[in-house]
Amino acid sequence: MTGKITGISGTTVTVDAKGLKLYERVYAGNSMLTGEVVRIRGDQSVIQVYENTRGLAVGEPVTGTGTPLTARLGPGLLSGIFDGLQRPLQRLSAFMTPLNEEIHALDYSGRWKFHPVKKKDDRVERGDIIGYFEELHIRHPVIFDNEHSGRISWIAEGEIALSNPVAVLEGGAEISGYHEWPVRTPRPYKKKYPPSAPLVTGQRVIDFLFTMTKGGTAILPGGFGTGKTVLEQSIAKFTDVDIVIYAGCGERGNEMAELIEEFKFLQDPWTKKRLMERTIMIVNTSNMPVAAREASIYTAATIAEYYRDMGLHVLLLADSISRWAEALREISSSLEELPGEEGYPTYLNSRLSGFFERAGVVETMSGSTGSLSIILSVSPPGGDLTDPVTQSCLRSTGTFLMLDTSLAHRRHFPAVNWFQSYSLYGEGIPGYFTEKVSTQWVDSQLMCKEILQKEEALKEVVEIVGVEGLQDADRLLMHTAGRIRLEFLCQNAYTDDAFSTPLQTHSKIKHILDFYTDALKKLGQGISLDDILTQTSITTSRHKGE
Ligand code: ADP
Ligand code: MG
């Protein structure tokens, strides 16, 4: 399907091509810029171009591809760095713009080891696994997806390139080693289960107070400088999942560049493998075309679901969803749609909840269990959490970690506000920690929360009478709460303390809580708080060998 450009306004292009379909992927102009059909009215279609339209002229050709925007799925994605349209950035930068040709998501020249499951003369039907590609520690199944069943006349074995078929059917139909999936369509699964296992992030405040779940969703809203990016990155490094998809969505480019450099050298703390081997990055920084950002989170979700379907635990992180929503708003206003709250399109809410719907624990089509967890940072203007994006997200997420400007000012990081945040996790979670970590996990949690709450109440009293005016028991509580905040809740992302196993997390809080219980007992025996505190600091220094 081809036509000609009749008008250009920014990245919105009108064409006179007949027969285009809504959300069909098109190539616009001589330099083949990628776009999507976003509106059709009679013979005129409107295309949202996802690249810089500088130099594009009226009269240049537009070609429809007949398919929607898709992601290509197969071996060769791990360690990859892609733009929002899944074009690999390393190879993209090797070309000079304009591109004039399509750059494939997967490397077709690289060779991958293929293990056939079927053999010559076997009949295959839709859904059958033909064989596996091996990529690092991951096995990619090649699933037969033709409508009609067939008989295999030839099947590959050993190292092959993706440009070649993995099998040929009688009659000559070739079966390719990769497949495409439309990014806006969630991949199917058999059944969804409620999340029941914790997602261990290595961040004490999260794992202990606001436990996330595998297959759950979380948002980290906070104003500028509250540590959203640092927290998203820490979670990407330390969480106990098989695959991490990190989408840098409209934030600063140098942050992404630094992250990529860092990941090349770091280890996955759980498997000791190179971190990059489990990571895929989607980069759409602030200097890249705004419209592509809108598509980028769907590309990321599709790749994530692809790994979930292999029965793996996958984590999708995006920093920040507000920049995505701004892109949505920009596209909507260029289409002159009726704006909703604060100029966002009226479908903001349904789009976001549709996106969160892609998370979950599922029984995959092949019968295994996989999960997709989604954690998004939200950067509302001025840190005002009543903004439409935060409010929309709130309706669909299980964990809400509010990043607090005043904590960040005091350099309390991660600046998770322990009164405002919450996690609606499933029943099994505390049981998991009780069984695997400590039988006291839940009691410690309650005691920790109680101390922090009492501190808050006492603060008002202290404002009036001063700390000296407090009774010893209350002074002890203030002292303990301070220790919980500084030694336990704070976690410096730039030191070895950046990652804490659940066992380390519990032993750290237990140390503080045991001190508290012990000191309370001593107070009861008539020992003064000052004596208790000097005594403790002497033993602590002795422990450290000073
Ligand atoms: P945001 O993305 O919310 O604007 P950043 O994630 O860029 O904020 O964090 C701002 C700064 O706060 C960082 O450059 C760093 O100095 C500090 N910071 C945030 N989190 C931590 C942490 N866990 N440990 C130490 N410093 C932190
Ligand atoms: Mg940031």
Side-chain angles (χ1 to χ4, degrees):
M1 193 57 56
T2 55
K4 288 208 165 11
I5 295 178
T6 56
I8 304 169
S9 161
T11 53
T12 309
V13 172
T14 45
V15 298
D16 65 0
K18 276 192 205 134
L20 288 175
K21 287 179 284 193
L22 200 59
Y23 289 118
E24 178 174 345
R25 181 179 193 157
V26 295
Y27 291 117
N30 296 325
S31 42
M32 291 186 66
L33 308 175
T34 297
E36 254 182 319
V37 179
V38 289
R39 175 181 288 167
I40 302 172
R41 202 170 274 164
D43 292 351
Q44 290 278 326
S45 297
V46 180
I47 287 161
Q48 185 61 51
V49 176
Y50 289 142
E51 294 175 78
N52 197 328
T53 46
R54 197 175 303 144
L56 195 67
V58 167
E60 287 191 27
V62 173
T63 319
T65 60
T67 56
L69 196 61
T70 56
R72 277 194 195 179
L73 305 166
L77 292 169
L78 292 180
S79 313
I81 302 163
F82 301 93
D83 73 359
L85 305 174
Q86 210 204 359
R87 292 176 307 186
L89 287 184
Q90 291 105 324
R91 273 184 287 141
L92 201 61
S93 63
F95 288 80
M96 294 305 286
T97 43
L99 300 163
N100 297 332
E101 67 170 295
E102 201 190 340
I103 297 181
H104 295 289
L106 299 166
D107 181 0
Y108 295 101
S109 52
R111 300 176 84 83
W112 306 98
K113 202 168 205 171
F114 181 72
H115 304 277
V117 171
K118 300 282 178 191
K119 49 187 192 311
K120 187 174 167 348
D121 295 334
D122 278 353
R123 275 206 85 76
V124 282
E125 288 179 19
R126 192 175 222 165
D128 283 352
I129 293 175
I130 292 187
Y132 293 95
F133 273 108
E134 207 174 277
E135 180 187 17
L136 303 168
H137 54 292
I138 304 282
R139 275 155 48 112
H140 295 251
V142 177
I143 297 171
F144 185 71
D145 197 31
N146 294 11
E147 223 171 286
H148 303 290
S149 62
R151 195 183 292 278
I152 292 178
S153 70
W154 173 85
I155 189 156
E157 176 150 23
E159 305 238 318
I160 64 162
L162 286 179
S163 49
N164 298 321
V166 295
V168 180
L169 298 183
E170 278 174 7
E174 296 187 343
I175 298 171
S176 132
Y178 62 89
H179 68 280
E180 302 208 17
W181 190 267
V183 297
R184 294 182 193 277
T185 310
R187 285 170 67 87
Y189 50 82
K190 275 192 188 151
K191 210 166 145 191
K192 208 172 225 181
Y193 299 104
S196 61
L199 184 81
V200 178
T201 62
Q203 310 301 301
R204 287 188 290 267
V205 59
I206 299 176
D207 295 342
F208 190 68
L209 292 182
F210 307 107
T211 323
M212 296 187 189
T213 49
K214 289 203 174 75
T217 52
I219 52 165
L220 321 170
F224 179 76
T226 50
K228 297 180 294 294
T229 303
V230 173
L231 187 54
E232 286 260 314
Q233 296 187 352
S234 297
I235 293 172
K237 287 175 198 165
F238 302 126
T239 302
D240 67 332
V241 286
D242 303 307
I243 302 287
V244 175
I245 320 281
Y246 189 99
C249 195
E251 294 288 312
R252 280 156 289 175
N254 58 343
E255 285 178 344
M256 248 355 248
E258 281 167 22
L259 183 69
I260 291 164
E261 274 312 303
E262 209 185 340
F263 268 49
K264 285 185 186 158
F265 302 103
L266 288 178
Q267 271 185 350
D268 172 354
W270 303 92
T271 61
K272 308 292 176 215
K273 293 201 176 98
R274 282 192 325 127
L275 206 48
M276 210 53 201
E277 288 181 6
R278 70 168 207 185
T279 311
I280 296 165
M281 300 207 189
I282 310 283
V283 186
N284 249 280
T285 52
S286 49
N287 53 351
M288 293 166 97
V290 171
R293 214 183 277 165
E294 199 276 323
S296 69
I297 64 160
Y298 296 105
T299 302
T302 306
I303 297 175
E305 287 171 345
Y306 171 62
Y307 285 98
R308 172 205 70 187
D309 290 346
M310 295 179 201
L312 299 171
H313 295 297
V314 185
L315 170 62
L316 168 60
L317 294 151
D319 183 28
S320 101
I321 201 69
S322 301
R323 304 278 165 268
W324 167 85
E326 281 163 17
L328 192 72
R329 177 166 66 184
E330 203 161 301
I331 295 172
S332 165
S333 82
S334 73
L335 293 174
E336 293 168 5
E337 291 172 340
L338 205 62
E341 217 181 326
E342 293 194 23
Y344 289 104
T346 45
Y347 46 80
L348 170 73
N349 203 14
S350 62
R351 285 278 173 96
L352 270 173
S353 57
F355 181 68
F356 282 119
E357 269 297 304
R358 295 179 80 158
V361 185
V362 302
E363 180 184 342
T364 66
M365 296 308 277
S366 59
S368 53
T369 305
S371 72
L372 170 55
S373 317
I374 298 182
I375 304 177
L376 308 175
S377 74
V378 188
S379 35
D384 175 9
L385 301 188
T386 59
D387 95 302
V389 181
T390 317
Q391 289 302 316
S392 284
C393 287
L394 262 180
R395 274 177 227 142
S396 331
T397 42
T399 307
F400 169 70
L401 296 175
M402 186 196 133
L403 301 185
D404 189 326
T405 310
S406 75
L407 286 176
H409 277 166
R410 302 202 312 254
R411 301 209 59 78
H412 174 115
F413 288 118
V416 176
N417 181 305
W418 51 90
F419 292 124
Q420 305 287 335
S421 306
Y422 61 78
S423 186
L424 310 169
Y425 54 70
E427 299 245 310
I429 308 296
Y432 171 92
F433 289 109
T434 320
E435 192 181 310
K436 299 259 158 101
V437 184
S438 163
T439 48
Q440 297 173 356
W441 182 274
V442 176
D443 292 338
S444 308
Q445 250 180 355
L446 291 176
M447 190 166 169
C448 173
K449 284 183 190 168
E450 196 184 309
I451 293 175
L452 290 170
Q453 253 150 21
K454 282 190 180 158
E455 181 199 32
E456 199 60 17
L458 278 175
K459 267 188 191 161
E460 287 172 22
V461 182
V462 170
E463 268 174 30
I464 303 163
V465 299
V467 185
E468 298 73 28
L470 290 180
Q471 303 217 323
D472 267 3
D474 288 342
R475 270 177 63 209
L476 172 65
L477 188 125
M478 295 293 283
H479 172 86
T480 313
R483 281 188 62 186
I484 291 176
R485 284 187 282 106
L486 295 176
E487 297 170 28
F488 183 73
L489 296 178
C490 282
Q491 215 171 329
N492 191 328
Y494 306 107
T495 61
D496 284 345
D497 192 36
F499 170 68
S500 174
T501 64
L503 211 61
Q504 287 167 333
T505 294
H506 189 257
S507 84
K508 202 164 192 126
I509 191 71
K510 187 170 157 24
H511 185 72
I512 300 172
L513 298 177
D514 281 352
F515 152 80
Y516 179 66
T517 319
D518 189 52
L520 265 185
K521 212 181 285 165
K522 286 186 180 147
L523 280 184
Q525 291 160 359
I527 307 173
S528 81
L529 182 63
D530 291 328
D531 285 347
I532 296 170
L533 292 182
T534 28
Q535 191 64 37
T536 326
S537 70
I538 293 167
T539 22
T540 322
S541 348
R542 254 197 229 128
H543 269 302
K544 289 181 183 157
E546 283 160 18

